[in-house]
Amino acid sequence: MEKFSTHTGVGVPLRQSNVDTDQIIPAVYLKRITRTGFEDALFAAWRKDPAFILNQEPFSAGSVLVAGPDFGTGSSREHAVWALKDYGFKAVLSSRFADIFRGNSGKQGLLAAEVAQDDIELIWKVLENAPGTEVTVDLGSKTVMCGNVVAPFEIDDYTRWRLLEGLDDIGLTLQHEEDITAYEATRPAFKPKTLPARLS
Amino acid sequence: MAKTLAEKVWDAHVVRKGDGEGANAQPDLLYIDLHLVHEVTSPQAFEGLRLAGRPLRRPDLTIATEDHNTPTLDIDKPIADLTSRTQIQTLRNNCKEFGVRLHSLGDAEQGIVHVVGPQLGLTQPGMTVVCGDSHTSTHGAFGALAMGIGTSEVEHVMATQTLSLKPFKTMAINVEGTLRPGVSAKDIILAVIAKIGTGGGQGYVLEYRGSAIRALSMEARMTICNMSIEAGARAGLVAPDQTTYDYMYGRPHAPQGAEWDAAVEYWNTLRSDDEATFDVEVDLDADTLEPFVTWGTNPGQGVSLSAKVPSPEDFGDENAKAAAERALQYMGLEAGTPMKEIRVDTVFLGSCTNSRMEDLRAAADIIRGRTKDPNIRMLVVPGSARVRLEAEAEGLDKVFKDFGAEWRFAGCSMCLGMNPDQLEVGERCASTSNRNFEGRQGKGGRTHLVSPVVAAATAVRGTLSSPSDLDPAPESAAVRSSAA
Ligand code: SF4
């Protein structure tokens, strides 16, 4: 995973709450079996509408999505994060993220920055009045800057550390493999096993 | 120290406590007892293992089934849709390569992953259960800590049999009283979601408690826990009791003999201590509950079936108002229309929320001896091949077919429309599934979430209906009890 410290790019105002993962990437795209190449799938239904924000210049080249509250609700599909990343987004700002989406983002190096709704409104205004304005997201200082708006954002310390260091999850855990083996030795015998299969 | 049920299960699975304290605490590393796998969220995880040259640590704690993409007709023919076929074939190849038990289409244990686990007795109290699917919360009905995970977490569990997790807050959902006839578990959970909102459970594990929950069967408890995610919570659970043990006893993977006794002794400790405190408590009165139905495009946009379509003006919050406006437009509804006057085109009885034997029986009891509204298409999709077989053994398939419904093979089907079972643009559906998002059941499709008995009554009348709206049926209940 690449290290993330700071990013500056065109901000995209998405004035909408409850953007669920079915909107971020509709189910039909989940049939793919690869990990990349989901850029065409991002907001696929909405992108059919020429008025949709990502169909407008200069927003189509955006890399910081500024969304309403409750972003990423619904299905746990990680494809939502892949699609955002493949399209070119590096960060999403919202006043509230769904837990699973937030977790998935952290693991994939997409920054989910929690920004107060009042500040989101201010950023929306800047981006709408001056389309193409860049947004800077600085993970070190946990601040976001856009035009004359400077706002703090929240992210849990652990995810922040991992993003800054670019650390992969599994490798981190396997550093503690002895603990896992030790725990396994203490599991009660009545816990079920799937193998060998018992059938009704 | 007094602990809640969720905390007890958590503590019993800590492999390694995260470093640090309070807000700076790193996640705990938790051991995972059961990993359920299906074709949609696993290919990239297997690919990841392969790329890193890592084995799957515990194939004996892992089980896979095909459900999201599978056709519900002509299951003996090759799957027509090429990408669906590829995804299923990829799962088969991966399971073979990594030694994972798989129940494929055509197998008697194939079905929706959340129906299969409990049915085989693999889901048990006090376990940690994960799956790359948000409705894994279903398994919480057994007093398990069960949650949906993303694909990179799937890979993590495959490689390490553990998951790094930050502790949750706890929320008690107290449901006291007795449900009236025609009111069911689905109505409880839809009412909970309408009350706390789709984000209300975020960051919490919900524990459903109270006399109304204790009185529910296991399948009904699964319906409730299933939709915890629709309230924003990653997990929801119910303390195990005699109902749980009776359901589990004798299932293929339930403990046997002395192990059963040891297990029950442990399971009996799995309840929230009397002195334990929840971070939040929510109360719901079961006595006054009515059948519930959604009018909008998120599961929190629901009302009593006897109510009217709300107006955006009813919402104080600007975001909720805007969301309501958008939802009404998408749903093609006028504020003020009585819910019961809304005509539907399709009735879907299925999904991991409501596709088990009890759901099918409850719906069959309503339609038996009645005639379907001629304009309605009704799809009945059992949750698993085993449920289908059991239902056929009871003659339920015949009840549905005589009524004019389509009796299909098991799978997720129209819950998410990844297979050919989809709504057309503008088509309106009364669905026993769990998500009414825009386009969820097919592009432009309009979904009203309902219970199985409301779905059945709706199929009879053609408009959203509760069983109490039906004219008395000729001796339907009597027929069933004499047959049983
Ligand atoms: S039935 Fe629906 S909600 Fe359940 S696992 Fe399948 S797609 Fe997901």
Side-chain angles (χ1 to χ4, degrees):
Chain A
M1 197 167 95
E2 261 177 62
K3 293 187 182 181
F4 189 118
S5 55
T6 178
H7 171 77
T8 300
V10 170
V12 179
L14 185 66
R15 271 194 189 266
Q16 208 160 120
S17 62
N18 255 297
V19 176
D20 60 70
T21 51
D22 277 76
Q23 308 314 325
I24 299 173
I25 178 167
V28 353
Y29 294 97
L30 310 192
K31 290 178 184 174
R32 297 183 183 170
I33 54 166
T34 53
R35 264 179 185 268
T36 52
F38 286 92
E39 54 277 3
D40 57 325
L42 181 71
F43 298 124
W46 291 346
R47 267 159 82 189
K48 297 208 177 96
D49 174 3
F52 182 61
I53 189 94
L54 285 183
N55 290 331
Q56 294 173 38
E57 299 308 332
F59 296 117
S60 66
S63 63
V64 178
L65 188 64
V66 187
D70 292 317
F71 189 86
T73 53
S75 135
S76 58
R77 61 189 69 156
E78 204 154 339
H79 307 66
V81 176
W82 297 337
L84 284 160
K85 280 190 58 185
D86 288 350
Y87 184 90
F89 283 105
K90 301 279 191 255
V92 183
L93 317 186
S94 167
S95 63
R96 208 158 53 193
F97 291 95
D99 286 340
I100 298 183
F101 178 85
R102 190 211 317 267
N104 288 342
S105 303
K107 290 164 204 300
Q108 301 290 329
L110 177 74
L111 174 63
E114 207 174 291
V115 178
Q117 184 60 28
D118 291 349
D119 292 325
I120 295 271
E121 303 275 353
L122 294 176
I123 298 172
W124 278 343
K125 282 199 189 108
V126 173
L127 296 177
E128 284 162 0
N129 291 338
T133 304
E134 290 192 326
V135 179
T136 296
V137 203
D138 183 48
L139 187 54
S141 62
K142 295 200 281 185
T143 33
V144 39
M145 286 151 279
C146 175
N148 55 0
V149 182
V150 179
F153 68 80
E154 284 298 320
I155 180 166
D156 70 274
D157 290 340
Y158 181 65
T159 305
R160 174 167 167 269
W161 168 71
R162 297 206 12 207
L163 284 168
L164 287 169
E165 300 288 323
L167 279 171
D168 151 272
D169 252 349
I170 296 176
L172 263 171
T173 298
L174 288 177
Q175 292 175 347
H176 305 297
E177 199 185 346
E178 278 171 26
D179 295 331
I180 301 174
T181 308
Y183 180 90
E184 280 175 332
T186 67
R187 295 179 73 237
F190 59 73
K191 294 262 180 172
K193 294 203 166 108
T194 57
L195 295 171
R198 296 195 220 151
L199 302 173
S200 22
Chain B
M1 210 188 78
K3 289 183 193 170
T4 64
L5 168 59
E7 289 160 345
K8 286 184 186 180
V9 180
W10 180 286
D11 289 350
H13 289 84
V14 174
V15 169
R16 196 173 177 280
K17 270 230 129 336
D19 298 328
E21 292 280 322
N24 290 324
Q26 290 190 9
D28 290 347
L29 192 63
L30 291 202
Y31 199 79
I32 300 303
D33 290 320
L34 179 65
H35 186 190
L36 303 155
V37 173
H38 63 85
E39 75 273 19
V40 177
T41 50
S42 68
Q44 290 91 352
F46 280 115
E47 187 186 303
L49 286 186
R50 229 180 340 255
L51 289 173
R54 290 174 174 140
L56 191 146
R57 185 179 178 94
R58 294 295 300 262
D60 61 336
L61 303 182
T62 311
I63 186 168
T65 177
E66 300 166 358
D67 56 4
H68 280 66
N69 267 293
T70 50
T72 57
L73 286 172
D74 300 327
I75 62 166
D76 47 344
K77 306 217 176 79
I79 299 174
D81 181 85
L82 190 68
T83 34
S84 289
R85 201 194 315 163
T86 310
Q87 217 170 53
I88 299 251
Q89 193 51 52
T90 306
L91 179 70
R92 291 177 186 174
N93 297 345
N94 283 329
C95 285
K96 200 154 175 227
E97 178 181 342
F98 288 91
V100 173
R101 169 176 170 187
L102 167 68
H103 292 293
S104 281
L105 196 59
D107 178 316
E109 305 299 342
Q110 174 267 341
I112 305 173
V113 67
H114 310 309
V115 177
V116 168
Q119 169 180 291
L120 283 169
L122 283 167
T123 305
Q124 299 177 11
M127 289 174 61
T128 45
V129 180
V130 298
C131 174
D133 182 281
S134 51
H135 290 94
T136 310
S137 57
T138 313
H139 307 262
F142 292 80
L145 189 60
M147 62 209 135
I149 55 178
T151 295
S152 47
E153 290 174 308
V154 169
E155 184 185 339
H156 189 276
V157 175
M158 285 175 172
T160 70
Q161 203 58 33
T162 63
L163 206 54
S164 291
L165 286 172
K166 287 221 146 192
F168 299 99
K169 288 178 283 182
T170 54
M171 184 186 293
I173 310 274
N174 305 308
V175 193
E176 296 289 350
T178 312
L179 292 178
R180 291 185 286 196
V183 185
S184 63
K186 183 68 161 282
D187 305 307
I188 293 183
I189 189 61
L190 286 174
V192 168
I193 299 164
K195 184 160 182 165
I196 70 176
T198 49
Q202 207 167 298
Y204 292 90
V205 171
L206 312 184
E207 182 180 335
Y208 303 97
R209 301 152 61 82
S211 54
I213 302 294
R214 296 262 73 90
L216 294 175
S217 69
M218 282 317 293
E219 299 195 350
R221 291 178 192 180
M222 284 189 245
T223 299
I224 292 192
C225 290
N226 173 274
M227 290 189 70
S228 301
I229 184 75
E230 271 63 52
R234 205 161 167 188
L237 35 66
V238 176
D241 57 14
Q242 196 57 42
T243 305
T244 320
Y245 309 155
D246 291 346
Y247 176 94
M248 291 189 53
Y249 190 78
R251 290 194 179 263
H253 284 277
Q256 295 168 353
E259 283 190 358
W260 171 265
D261 299 333
V264 169
E265 197 180 322
Y266 171 58
W267 297 342
N268 280 331
T269 66
L270 295 174
R271 55 213 53 195
S272 293
D273 296 325
D274 293 339
E275 316 80 58
T277 48
F278 291 87
D279 295 302
V280 176
E281 300 222 19
V282 175
D283 297 319
L284 193 75
D285 183 6
D287 292 325
T288 56
L289 207 61
E290 291 183 57
F292 232 74
V293 58
T294 59
W295 52 267
T297 52
N298 77 54
Q301 291 173 322
V303 288
S304 283
L305 190 49
S306 57
K308 296 188 164 108
V309 176
S311 154
E313 300 310 315
D314 301 346
F315 300 91
D317 176 86
E318 281 304 316
N319 278 317
K321 195 175 282 186
E325 255 165 38
R326 188 182 163 101
L328 290 184
Q329 195 189 18
Y330 180 85
M331 293 296 290
L333 293 174
E334 290 279 348
T337 311
M339 291 306 296
K340 287 189 179 173
E341 286 179 12
I342 298 173
R343 284 220 133 258
V344 311
D345 310 296
T346 295
V347 170
F348 172 61
L349 177 59
S351 88
C352 57
T353 314
N354 284 123
S355 64
R356 299 176 178 84
M357 279 309 292
E358 274 177 23
D359 303 312
L360 302 188
R361 284 188 195 123
D365 281 350
I366 302 289
I367 62 172
R368 192 180 277 111
R370 292 193 162 102
T371 355
K372 183 173 69 64
D373 180 282
N375 298 318
I376 292 243
R377 133 172 107 134
M378 182 175 184
L379 233 66
V380 184
V381 186
S384 69
R386 170 117 358 245
V387 169
R388 185 178 145 105
L389 287 171
E390 274 180 38
E392 288 178 351
E394 276 184 26
L396 299 186
D397 58 322
K398 200 166 168 326
V399 176
F400 288 116
K401 285 190 225 158
D402 287 349
F403 180 70
E406 297 175 42
W407 178 246
R408 297 291 187 89
F409 286 90
C412 295
S413 178
M414 198 181 266
C415 174
L416 87 169
M418 269 183 94
N419 74 354
D421 307 340
Q422 297 183 8
L423 297 179
E424 311 258 311
V425 176
E427 209 179 333
R428 191 179 296 283
C429 178
S431 175
T432 64
S433 57
N434 44 49
R435 288 192 171 142
N436 51 344
F437 298 150
E438 290 180 20
R440 169 79 176 184
Q441 296 192 290
K443 204 167 141 274
R446 296 161 169 168
T447 304
H448 296 276
L449 300 177
V450 296
S451 72
V453 292
V454 168
T458 300
V460 174
R461 283 167 50 97
T463 49
L464 290 171
S465 303
S466 98
S468 61
D469 298 324
L470 300 175
D471 301 326
E475 56 193 276
S476 65
V479 173
R480 201 183 108 58
S481 45
S482 64

